[in-house]
Amino acid sequence: MTCLRNLIDEDSEINAKPIGPVSCIDVENVERPNKKVFSNGDLYVGDFKDVLPHGKGKYTWSNGMVYEGDWEAGKMTGKGLLLWPSGERYNGDISGGYLHGFGTLTSPDGSMYEGQWRMNIQHGFGRKKYSYSDVYEGEWKEGEHEGNGRYFWNNGNKYTGNWKRGKMHGRGVMEWVNGDKYNGCWLNGLRHGSGIYQYADGGYYFGTWTRGLKDGKGVFYPAGSKRPSLKKFCISLGYDNGPKSVLSQCSSLNLEGSTVKKRSVRRSVSEKISVSGVLRSSGRISHKSAESSRHSDSSKESMHHYSSGTFSFDSDGGQSEAQKSTAVVYEREYMQGVMIKERVRGYTELPKKAEKKTKHHAKETKKSSCFGIFKGKNSYHLMLNLQLGIRYTVGKITPVPKREVRTADFGHRARITMFFPRRGSQFTPPHKSVDFCWKDYCPMVFRNLREMFKLDAAEYMMSICGDDGLTEISSPGKSGSIFYLSLDDRFVIKTLKKSELKVLLKMLPKYYNHVKEHENTLITKFFGLHQITVHGKRKVRFVVMGNMFCTELRIHRRYDLKGSTHGRCTDKDKIHENSILKDLDLSYEFQMDKSLQKFFFHQIALDCNFLKSQHIIDYSLLLGLHFRAPEQLNGLLKPPMMPNTESSPAGQDGEVLFPSKGLLLVAHEPSSVSTDPGPHIRGRPLRAFSLGDKEVDVLVPGTGRLQVQLGVNMPAQANQKLSRDEADSAEVELFEVYDVVIYMGIIDILQEYNAKKKAEHACKSVKFDPLSISVVEPELYAQRFINFLKQKVFPEQP
């Protein structure tokens, strides 16, 4: 018996899953006339070909469902109309029994989708009007908003930008009906990354957000103040490349040329700050269903979740009010929505400061960079060459059976060399870069190191060589090196000098044994050492390292600590969001659990002894700090009434209203934390004295449970004492004690104490205190480094 398959259930959800199983038609009893009633009660009226419906026809199922349209070899194919007993109606393309092509689906609740389909699922460009009058118009993927699209809420709010898995994700602009606008980055439906919030009264705030909360540094311009050029505006916050560095993450921010109408509006409590404390208004964030009323409320930031899977944010109205004097702007710093620092500046200072910084940066880069030939298009070619070479190397060495490294695997002669012509060859693919020669040093050693660090070869290759490419970042030091960051932030690629390459090759056997013996070493992880030769003479050497700051938490402060004092401070006018500060800039002391601290200094001593044995100096501890919002704000910020609805710790303009409690150490549970090896993960979980010497995790409110390892996710308390000069200055920091999560490791381990450095030491010792300069002999350098960490950074608890 031959069967015709009805691909549609009476109660199927068209946009959620394929249409269900079908009834069977006994075609043995089918007669050639255009009408036939079947034994199961189904009725077909239309054209046949042999024994199967073919051409135009109408099929009525016994359950009341009806299809009228084109048939081909017994299947619904072509144009057609489908009617369900529930009242749903589809009119459009059908292929092989599936909704496939362009069509319109109308539901009895009033919702309607008009657009492209693929295998019964909305896929492609389409427009959907929901039953509650919201409208989405844009790209779909597998039944969800994904790609570019616009969402219109019935209260007048509008979002235009990128979507992913049904949520606002990427670049986008949110416009509220009251006139407020946010233009910037989004992640999973929340403001996340750089952006500009423009208020209806003309004021605006440029800064960064994390999961919907202000987090990091920013500048607030009151209503009526003159706007600087976008380039100077970006540079004033530390984006040295101007708008380009911001636009790589956010949508274009068109601020220039717009005029602001001056208003005289009183400054609200939410924008005030004083040394004695912080006040906030008591707005809240609430979740409402699709059936809830959704009225615009400019004093709250409400998030509505509907059955469509979208979010609607009310604006941050009332946050921006004009100052009595529009000649000032406010440089601010936030942590999880809590403002912890404010610096009042004259408006004219910012452009001058930005211009001065730009000129200084350009001059310094031009003077120090030894890779000036790799600019613009050449820089892109260098990145592409790097990806092609690593893909070739990893693909070639990975299939080789694993074995212990031998003496012959080390040294500059242990290498793989390959020429990559642009047109391709028998061994290499064609590419869009220039011809280049690729050299991979010690491939077997680094293959074993990657496996030792539990790094999967495929993940390593995809992270660096994926289609999304690498991100070039500005050099934080004076070396002029070029830095690339993988898109997933797992790996940092740094160009090397010839002398640094030689040092690494020389110390590699000892380095291999050290990291093999000490799995908790704080020394930088190296994953590959390579060289590219362009045009037969220009050589670029680079090393692939683990990114110590690869974390979902925002790193608020970065320090490069050597233990020396001469020249180890940063000009305040040059400090920005991504600045790496130095020894004399550190105004905090950190208190850790006794066992964590003891284990840290034990490993530091081992690592310094290793570096001393290799005659290495100039290394430093790279310290990254994630600050938590001060817990003592709980009393200040608690609202007078607690709603019964589910609440989230965010309020107006992403400012916290219910600050989370401090960090909490708990017993380690492997099933509750991610144990996937990372580029900076080290060894096993640490043990804490406060929990009876048990292995521990740290609970980070708003983030989750993190595994505590040496230099990774380490909880501590940062203590700071404000001097009288700081308290009286225009820059005010409100709190002295913070909970912090610490990330750290030893970097820059490729400077040997050679004849050149000995001469530098002799020269500088005449002018400065010999103990204050960075260049000293290795044994003294190691001892000074450890003493500085013990006395100034992690002092023993009384």
Side-chain angles (χ1 to χ4, degrees):
M1 180 175 68
T2 307
C3 294
L4 289 176
R5 300 192 60 82
N6 161 29
L7 297 174
I8 302 178
D9 249 357
E10 177 181 353
D11 299 321
S12 63
E13 293 290 337
I14 298 302
N15 59 348
K17 56 185 178 181
I19 303 172
V22 302
S23 59
C24 295
I25 304 174
D26 186 355
V27 298
E28 292 181 358
N29 297 322
V30 172
E31 299 177 0
R32 292 307 174 92
N34 290 337
K35 180 177 179 180
K36 177 63 180 178
V37 178
F38 300 94
S39 58
N40 60 1
D42 293 354
L43 172 65
Y44 175 77
V45 178
D47 300 329
F48 283 90
K49 182 177 181 180
D50 295 331
V51 295
L52 299 176
H54 188 88
K56 298 288 185 180
K58 179 178 180 181
Y59 195 99
T60 305
W61 284 263
S62 58
N63 60 7
M65 180 177 166
V66 177
Y67 169 74
E68 183 174 3
D70 297 330
W71 293 80
E72 184 175 320
K75 293 183 178 180
M76 299 177 288
T77 301
K79 300 284 186 180
L81 172 67
L82 271 167
L83 302 174
W84 284 266
S86 62
E88 282 187 301
R89 175 190 180 98
Y90 174 81
N91 191 352
D93 297 331
I94 297 179
S95 178
Y98 289 92
L99 311 187
H100 193 89
F102 186 88
T104 302
L105 179 71
T106 305
S107 300
D109 62 2
S111 64
M112 182 179 71
Y113 172 80
E114 182 179 10
Q116 294 174 313
W117 296 78
R118 188 177 73 175
M119 303 292 286
N120 292 343
I121 298 176
Q122 297 139 324
H123 191 96
F125 188 86
R127 182 181 187 274
K128 182 169 183 177
K129 181 179 180 181
Y130 294 90
S131 58
Y132 34 84
S133 300
D134 287 4
V135 176
Y136 173 78
E137 184 179 71
E139 296 176 301
W140 297 71
K141 183 178 180 180
E142 301 297 333
E144 294 182 315
H145 311 158
E146 183 147 343
N148 294 317
R150 297 186 298 172
Y151 197 98
F152 303 86
W153 282 266
N154 62 9
N155 59 9
N157 298 338
K158 180 178 73 172
Y159 171 81
T160 304
N162 291 337
W163 296 77
K164 187 174 182 179
R165 297 176 183 173
K167 296 180 180 179
M168 296 172 284
H169 190 107
R171 306 172 185 175
V173 180
M174 185 78 178
E175 299 177 64
W176 287 270
V177 67
N178 68 348
D180 286 5
K181 179 190 293 186
Y182 170 78
N183 189 337
C185 302
W186 298 79
L187 178 69
N188 293 327
L190 299 172
R191 283 167 282 190
H192 189 94
S194 300
I196 293 179
Y197 195 101
Q198 183 174 349
Y199 302 90
D201 64 8
Y204 60 97
Y205 175 82
F206 179 93
T208 56
W209 281 257
T210 299
R211 298 178 181 175
L213 300 176
K214 285 180 181 176
D215 203 14
K217 295 184 178 181
V219 178
F220 171 70
Y221 283 76
S225 59
K226 182 181 178 181
R227 300 182 180 184
S229 68
L230 181 58
K231 181 177 180 180
K232 292 182 179 180
F233 189 60
C234 296
I235 294 174
S236 69
L237 288 174
Y239 296 95
D240 296 329
N241 295 326
K244 289 184 179 180
S245 56
V246 179
L247 298 183
S248 63
Q249 305 178 46
C250 307
S251 57
S252 58
L253 309 176
N254 184 15
L255 295 177
E256 299 186 51
S258 58
T259 58
V260 182
K261 183 179 179 181
K262 294 185 178 180
R263 298 186 183 183
S264 178
V265 184
R266 185 179 178 185
R267 191 180 185 188
S268 72
V269 174
S270 64
E271 288 293 5
K272 291 182 179 179
I273 184 170
S274 65
V275 178
S276 59
V278 179
L279 299 177
R280 297 287 187 274
S281 56
S282 58
R284 63 178 180 270
I285 184 168
S286 60
H287 298 264
K288 300 182 181 181
S289 64
E291 292 76 15
S292 300
S293 61
R294 295 174 295 148
H295 301 289
S296 174
D297 184 355
S298 62
S299 66
K300 300 177 183 178
E301 174 176 306
S302 300
M303 180 172 66
H304 308 285
H305 186 282
Y306 307 110
S307 58
S308 62
T310 60
F311 292 91
S312 170
F313 292 87
D314 285 352
S315 70
D316 303 339
Q319 286 290 302
S320 169
E321 288 80 7
Q323 312 298 318
K324 293 180 180 180
S325 172
T326 57
V328 297
V329 297
Y330 301 84
E331 290 185 346
R332 293 175 175 173
E333 184 171 2
Y334 290 84
M335 292 176 185
Q336 296 91 54
V338 174
M339 182 163 56
I340 62 154
K341 184 183 292 186
E342 180 178 74
R343 187 177 186 181
V344 181
R345 278 187 171 273
Y347 169 79
T348 56
E349 293 181 49
L350 286 180
K352 290 181 180 179
K353 171 186 168 186
E355 185 176 356
K356 182 179 179 181
K357 182 190 298 184
T358 306
K359 292 180 179 178
H360 175 81
H361 179 78
K363 182 178 179 181
E364 188 179 70
T365 301
K366 184 177 180 180
K367 180 180 178 180
S368 62
S369 177
C370 55
F371 300 101
I373 59 174
F374 296 103
K375 298 290 184 181
K377 190 174 182 180
N378 289 333
S379 179
Y380 168 75
H381 287 162
L382 179 63
M383 180 188 71
L384 187 59
N385 297 346
L386 166 65
Q387 292 179 304
L388 289 167
I390 290 180
R391 187 183 293 118
Y392 172 81
T393 296
V394 176
K396 186 176 181 65
I397 197 67
T398 301
V400 177
K402 184 180 179 181
R403 61 170 174 81
E404 286 297 322
V405 294
R406 306 163 185 163
T407 304
D409 294 323
F410 295 95
H412 69 280
R413 294 184 181 277
R415 64 196 184 206
I416 295 176
T417 304
M418 179 57 65
F419 180 65
F420 283 78
R422 185 172 185 177
R423 295 184 178 181
S425 68
Q426 181 181 355
F427 304 102
T428 62
H431 56 86
K432 297 181 180 180
S433 182
V434 295
D435 297 351
F436 70 97
C437 184
W438 170 262
K439 191 177 292 184
D440 181 35
Y441 290 98
C442 308
M444 183 57 71
V445 176
F446 285 105
R447 175 255 178 91
N448 282 16
L449 280 174
R450 291 193 292 268
E451 292 186 356
M452 189 186 304
F453 297 140
K454 299 179 181 178
L455 190 63
D456 181 73
E459 291 182 3
Y460 175 71
M461 187 165 58
M462 289 303 300
S463 177
I464 297 176
C465 308
D467 294 335
D468 295 320
L470 303 170
T471 301
E472 184 177 350
I473 55 179
S474 59
S475 173
K478 299 179 181 180
S479 65
S481 297
I482 298 175
F483 286 81
Y484 291 106
L485 184 66
S486 63
L487 191 67
D488 57 7
D489 292 341
R490 300 180 68 187
F491 303 101
V492 174
I493 301 169
K494 176 188 176 183
T495 54
L496 299 178
K497 299 176 183 177
K498 185 177 181 179
S499 60
E500 292 175 321
L501 174 70
K502 290 182 177 180
V503 170
L504 181 52
L505 288 173
K506 179 181 176 182
M507 71 183 297
L508 191 56
K510 297 293 185 181
Y511 171 86
Y512 182 89
N513 292 332
H514 182 76
V515 298
K516 184 178 181 180
E517 183 178 354
H518 305 287
E519 62 177 358
N520 292 294
T521 179
L522 288 162
I523 293 177
T524 305
K525 287 184 176 181
F526 294 124
F527 299 112
L529 183 61
H530 316 286
Q531 177 179 291
I532 290 174
T533 304
V534 183
H535 304 309
K537 56 182 180 179
R538 296 176 178 176
K539 296 180 180 179
V540 183
R541 308 156 191 93
F542 51 88
V543 63
V544 183
M545 307 176 291
N547 179 16
M548 294 180 183
F549 297 156
C550 179
T551 172
E552 57 186 307
L553 301 178
R554 177 180 290 276
I555 302 297
H556 296 101
R557 293 281 194 284
R558 298 167 176 84
Y559 292 92
D560 182 271
L561 306 176
K562 292 186 176 182
S564 58
T565 56
H566 176 69
R568 299 298 295 167
C569 62
T570 308
D571 187 343
K572 285 188 176 182
D573 288 337
K574 298 174 185 176
I575 296 176
H576 52 76
E577 177 74 16
N578 299 314
S579 291
I580 297 182
L581 307 177
K582 301 177 182 178
D583 303 62
L584 297 181
D585 301 318
L586 183 65
S587 58
Y588 301 99
E589 291 182 348
F590 303 96
Q591 301 293 334
M592 290 192 294
D593 179 273
K594 290 182 179 180
S595 294
L596 300 184
Q597 187 171 3
K598 180 180 178 181
F599 192 59
F600 167 71
F601 280 113
H602 172 72
Q603 188 61 52
I604 281 285
L606 292 173
D607 291 339
C608 286
N609 285 336
F610 162 72
L611 295 173
K612 181 174 60 176
S613 70
Q614 301 300 304
H615 306 287
I616 300 298
I617 62 169
D618 251 2
Y619 50 87
S620 56
L621 183 76
L622 184 62
L623 179 69
L625 305 176
H626 169 77
F627 287 83
R628 302 303 299 174
E631 187 178 357
Q632 54 265 54
L633 286 182
N634 278 326
L636 288 173
L637 301 183
K638 188 174 181 180
M641 295 182 61
M642 291 296 292
N644 295 325
T645 57
E646 181 182 357
S647 299
S648 173
Q652 300 178 20
D653 200 10
E655 297 195 11
V656 73
L657 300 173
F658 307 99
S660 53
K661 294 185 178 180
L663 305 173
L664 181 65
L665 280 175
V666 295
H668 174 60
E669 293 183 7
S671 60
S672 301
V673 296
S674 173
T675 56
D676 295 337
H680 64 310
I681 299 299
R682 300 179 182 89
R684 62 186 63 184
L686 298 184
R687 298 178 181 273
F689 175 82
S690 57
L691 286 184
D693 203 35
K694 295 180 179 178
E695 293 184 344
V696 292
D697 300 329
V698 60
L699 289 179
V700 182
T703 299
R705 190 182 190 120
L706 302 176
Q707 186 177 2
V708 179
Q709 294 180 299
L710 189 61
V712 183
N713 303 325
M714 295 185 70
Q717 188 177 75
N719 301 302
Q720 180 186 44
K721 290 185 179 181
L722 298 177
S723 66
R724 179 174 298 178
D725 292 339
E726 289 174 323
D728 295 338
S729 69
E731 180 175 349
V732 179
E733 183 155 356
L734 300 178
F735 308 101
E736 298 179 6
V737 181
Y738 299 93
D739 284 333
V740 296
V741 182
I742 294 178
Y743 298 84
M744 56 187 167
I746 297 175
I747 63 170
D748 295 337
I749 65 169
L750 300 180
Q751 179 56 61
E752 201 171 30
Y753 190 61
N754 50 26
K756 182 179 178 180
K757 287 296 178 181
K758 290 178 182 179
E760 182 181 344
H761 170 74
C763 181
K764 288 187 175 180
S765 296
V766 176
K767 298 181 180 180
F768 311 104
D769 180 1
L771 297 180
S772 69
I773 60 178
S774 177
V775 183
V776 295
E777 59 93 16
E779 186 171 356
L780 177 58
Y781 191 98
Q783 190 58 51
R784 184 182 65 183
F785 180 72
I786 294 174
N787 289 340
F788 174 75
L789 295 179
K790 284 186 175 181
Q791 296 169 12
K792 302 295 185 181
V793 186
F794 302 101
E796 293 185 5
Q797 300 178 23

